[in-house]
Amino acid sequence: MQAKDARFDGWFYCAVLTTRIYCRPSCPVVPPKRQNMSFHPSAAAAQQAGFRACKRCRPDASPGSPLWNERADLVARAMRLIADGVVDTEGVRGLAARLGYSVRQVERQVFAELGAGPLALARAQRAQTARTLIETTQLPMTELALAAGFGSIRTFNDTVREVFALSPTELRQRAKNVPQAAAGALVLRLPYRKPLCPDNLFGHLAATGVPGVEEWRDGAYRRTLRLPHGHGVVALRPEDGHIACRLTLTDLRDLPTATSRCRRLLDLDADPVAVDDQLATDPLLAPLVAAAPGRRVPRTVDGAEFA
């Protein structure tokens, strides 16, 4: 945190006891005294402890921990399914059924490692989805609340105020200078840990694209998506410090699922510095790593389609 190292964004979160705000490690503000800091393994855990997101560094929008893509244990599988929207569509009971464990066992293990249960993690994801929709669309708040997965407008208002210390209207006013997408489309920024080698990442996707499903057009990789509530089309373009993501969805309730799958496709939660350090210990790979640091292995948005 003292070095403001952005590589650790998403690995953990720092909460300030005096201001009741939580931040990512790379937050540009002056770090507080050590005795006034507490640390949390997830944004949901910080929110559950009564802290609100920093308005400066927006910790809720930081890249996720790469552990959930590397590990194959219960908690990692649960995190991937929660990010894919399973709790919102099937509830915790549906999540447990997919994992093959009891509800109690899933809740106990997830809480032990992340400091928050599946419902709290899904709630944090809904809050981030709501913020994205507030800042990038002109949808009425009632429609927006339902699209973000909230059961009522009151719950939506209370959650946004609690997490961001701003009302939905105030959030939209603060984002008034953000360019709006065309009708029916959403424009998002998908953050990643630097460095990134876009040539091999997008080059592979373009070279292996399936006609009618994937294409490379106007400097962006485009593909169709099959989502829980309908279909979608995404265009992904590499930019400095983020991936520009343009989504066209049949149903806005699929936004968190589509975003999660795009991040997984491009391996955006990876820690490329750690990967490069390991690969550079091999004398044959070392010059290749030095020539193009930040290589990532493309994944897929649909396992059955890929098979």
Side-chain angles (χ1 to χ4, degrees), residues 236-253:
L236 299 166
R237 185 193 312 272
E239 302 284 354
D240 183 25
H242 69 276
I243 301 294
C245 173
R246 181 187 176 93
L247 277 166
T248 305
L249 301 174
T250 303
D251 193 319
L252 285 175
R253 289 178 294 175

Side-chain angles (χ1 to χ4, degrees), residues 69 72 82 90 93 112 114 130 137 158 206-207 247 276 282-283 299 307:
N69 289 329
I82 292 170
E90 303 176 25
R93 190 176 299 276
L114 291 166
T137 73
D158 291 345
L247 277 166
D276 288 352
D282 185 283
R299 291 192 171 99

Side-chain angles (χ1 to χ4, degrees), residues 55-80:
K55 298 175 185 177
R56 184 85 176 271
C57 69
R58 298 182 59 165
D60 51 302
S62 63
S65 171
L67 292 176
W68 313 132
N69 289 329
E70 298 168 6
R71 289 165 36 179
D73 58 13
L74 171 62
V75 175
R77 290 163 56 208
M79 284 296 291
R80 289 195 289 270

Side-chain angles (χ1 to χ4, degrees), residues 173-233:
Q173 290 172 346
R174 286 168 61 91
K176 60 184 178 181
N177 294 325
V178 176
Q180 301 295 327
L186 298 169
V187 177
L188 314 175
R189 295 160 62 104
L190 305 182
Y192 59 79
R193 295 179 179 88
K194 295 181 179 182
L196 174 78
C197 180
D199 294 345
N200 91 290
L201 184 62
F202 287 90
H204 175 85
L205 292 172
T208 60
V210 177
V213 178
E214 303 167 282
E215 67 175 358
W216 180 265
R217 182 193 295 178
D218 300 329
Y221 165 77
R222 301 175 73 246
R223 67 154 294 137
T224 59
L225 298 171
R226 182 170 52 188
L227 300 164
H229 298 98
H231 294 84
V233 176

Side-chain angles (χ1 to χ4, degrees), residues 126-143:
R126 282 195 298 272
Q128 173 57 23
T129 301
R131 181 175 196 160
T132 300
L133 291 172
I134 289 169
E135 294 179 343
T136 60
T137 73
Q138 293 298 327
L139 283 175
M141 293 300 177
T142 303
E143 294 181 28

